[in-house]
């Protein structure tokens, strides 16, 4: 769907494009620091999700993070598009794992999508 470009959309997208890690709405609001209200940022993020520009990551604590869909944009294989995420307990960040994570399910089950956050210490903090 073709949507009108606004300074807010552009600012949020640029921030996400330049971030190595997924960002929460709070982090986006703090980093932009240009007086955009919380509801506007939330609407922009939801539209980006609808348009498959970013994807939403829900951590085990229920907090939502957003990251650019680099796998889809770069035409990576399907297995990487439905990728896992990693949340670091030290720096409290979430990042997309750009490699497939091996898992198995009982016979007769068919996985169509995976939403998983692995928790531990990231490469930068270990």
């Amino acid at each position: 769907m073709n949507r009108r470009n606004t300074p807010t959309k552009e600012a949020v997208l640029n921030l996400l494009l330049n971030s190595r890690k997924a960002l929460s709405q709070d982090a986006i609001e703090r980093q932009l620091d240009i007086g955009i209200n919380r509801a506007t940022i939330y609407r922009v993020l939801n539209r980006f999700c609808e348009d498959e520009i970013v994807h939403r990551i829900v951590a085990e604590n229920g907090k939502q993070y957003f990251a650019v869909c680099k796998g889809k944009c770069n035409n990576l294989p399907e297995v990487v598009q439905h990728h896992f995420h990693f949340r670091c307990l030290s720096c409290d960040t979430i990042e997309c794992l750009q490699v497939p994570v091996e898992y198995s399910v009982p016979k007769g089950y068919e996985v169509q999508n995976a939403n998983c956050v692995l928790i531990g210490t990231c490469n930068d903090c270990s």
Side-chain angles (χ1 to χ4, degrees), residues 20-118:
R20 281 186 37 228
K21 311 272 183 169
L23 299 174
S24 67
Q25 180 181 347
D26 295 343
I28 292 168
E29 192 175 341
R30 276 193 313 275
Q31 289 184 41
L32 288 179
D33 194 29
I34 54 176
I36 302 169
N37 75 37
R38 180 177 295 256
T40 301
I41 293 172
Y42 190 69
R43 268 193 312 276
V44 166
L45 291 169
N46 280 328
R47 285 195 184 117
F48 284 166
C49 288
E50 288 170 14
D51 294 343
E52 298 182 345
I53 296 168
V54 303
H55 64 279
R56 181 186 328 263
I57 304 152
V58 181
E60 80 291 348
N61 60 5
K63 191 169 186 174
Q64 296 181 29
Y65 296 80
F66 300 86
V68 173
C69 299
K70 290 184 173 108
K72 186 167 186 96
C73 297
N74 292 333
N75 297 317
L76 293 175
E78 185 77 15
V79 70
V80 178
Q81 288 183 30
H82 301 293
H83 57 274
F84 284 47
H85 301 90
F86 190 92
R87 184 169 87 81
C88 180
L89 293 170
S90 295
C91 62
D92 194 32
T93 60
I94 288 190
E95 61 185 296
C96 300
L97 297 177
Q98 295 297 325
V99 296
V101 175
E102 298 291 326
Y103 62 90
S104 63
V105 295
K107 186 175 181 169
Y109 287 78
E110 181 182 329
V111 176
Q112 295 178 359
N113 197 347
N115 180 18
C116 183
V117 178
L118 303 172

